[in-house]
């Protein structure tokens, strides 16, 4: 009976204590405010990747964008290797026949028989020639008998003129020189001789080609004679310009 009474008193004390605790909690809640939120906890470990979803439907084509600005030219690349030779092409058709543009030769010869001209200086003969073009040349060749007589260390010169003037920068001429030819060594040798050359004549139309005789430079003159007992000829040819 004593044990039962003790137990009853313990139970009663517990109930009173619990009631006081509950009452204090309710009064605390009525009087106290909520505290601040605590700090976020650390990130958890990543979960396992889920399975791939099903492919969606294809979308519509978008509108074309505006062309961008041209970029700067790149550097030149290295030369590539030579390609292989291509196959020969087919032969083309034959062309039309060209026109014949062959120049007709324009030439003339003046000839005299036995002129036997004894002058020592001056114009011997003239041959007039009609030149067709301004850009062409004239080729002249003169053949005749030319001699000097009865003199020592003497010289005479035969030359060509065009309208009274010699060719420049180089004349068309020839000389006859005799070292000993008088006294005991007297000589009167008639010899056939030829002088020839080309000259640029900057004109078209009539050109008078002259055959002349005169003195040599730096030598005494001699007794000249031209065209003895034979023909004298002046050949004239109009020629195209020479190669460069």
């Amino acid at each position: 009976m004593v044990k039962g009474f003790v137990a009853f008193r313990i139970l009663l004390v517990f109930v009173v204590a619990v009631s006081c605790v509950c009452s204090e909690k309710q009064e605390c809640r009525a009087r106290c405010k909520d505290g601040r939120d605590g700090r976020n906890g650390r990130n958890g470990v990543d979960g396992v990747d889920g399975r791939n979803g099903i492919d969606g439907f294809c979308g519509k084509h978008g509108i074309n964008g505006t062309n961008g600005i041209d970029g700067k030219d790149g550097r030149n690349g290295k030369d590539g290797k030579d390609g292989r030779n291509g196959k020969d092409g087919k032969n083309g058709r034959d062309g039309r026949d060209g026109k014949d543009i062959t120049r007709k030769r324009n030439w003339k010869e003046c000839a005299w028989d036995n002129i036997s001209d004894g002058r020592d200086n001056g114009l011997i003969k003239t041959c007039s020639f009609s030149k067709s073009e301004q850009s062409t040349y004239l080729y002249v060749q003169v053949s005749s008998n030319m001699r000097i007589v009865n003199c020592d260390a003497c010289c005479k010169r035969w030359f060509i003129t065009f309208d009274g003037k010699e060719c420049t920068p180089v004349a068309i001429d020839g000389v006859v020189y005799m070292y000993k030819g008088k006294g005991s060594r007297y000589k009167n040798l008639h010899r056939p001789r030829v002088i020839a050359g080309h000259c640029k004549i900057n004109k078209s139309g009539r050109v008078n080609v002259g055959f002349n005789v005169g003195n040599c430079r730096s030598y005494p003159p001699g007794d000249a004679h031209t065209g003895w007992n034979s023909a004298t000829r002046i050949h004239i040819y109009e020629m195209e310009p020479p190669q460069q």
Side-chain angles (χ1 to χ4, degrees), residues 57-147:
F57 294 103
C58 295
K60 296 181 180 179
H61 293 297
I63 300 173
N64 292 332
T66 306
N67 292 332
I69 300 173
D70 293 337
K72 296 182 180 179
D73 295 335
R75 297 182 181 177
N76 294 331
K78 296 181 180 179
D79 295 335
K81 295 181 179 179
D82 295 336
R84 297 180 181 178
N85 294 329
K87 296 181 179 179
D88 294 336
K90 296 181 180 180
N91 293 331
R93 296 180 181 178
D94 294 336
R96 296 179 181 178
D97 294 334
K99 295 181 179 180
D100 185 6
I101 58 173
T102 303
R103 184 194 302 271
K104 292 183 179 179
R105 173 167 289 187
N106 184 21
W107 66 279
K108 184 178 181 180
E109 177 185 283
C110 297
W112 303 267
D113 185 38
N114 193 24
I115 61 174
S116 194
D117 192 298
R119 76 186 71 203
D120 293 332
N121 293 279
L123 179 65
I124 300 171
K125 287 294 181 181
T126 298
C127 185
S128 181
F129 184 81
S130 181
K131 190 168 177 285
S132 62
E133 297 182 28
Q134 181 176 350
S135 63
T136 54
Y137 285 62
L138 290 183
Y139 172 76
V140 178
Q141 181 185 87
V142 176
S143 60
S144 187
N145 183 287
M146 307 172 202
R147 74 103 171 99

Side-chain angles (χ1 to χ4, degrees), residues 1 15-16 18 21 63 73 99 102-103 132 134 148 151 153 167 197 216 220 230 235:
M1 186 168 178
V15 171
V16 173
V18 171
V21 172
I63 300 173
D73 295 335
K99 295 181 179 180
T102 303
R103 184 194 302 271
S132 62
Q134 181 176 350
I148 52 177
C151 58
C167 187
C216 301
S230 59
H235 304 265

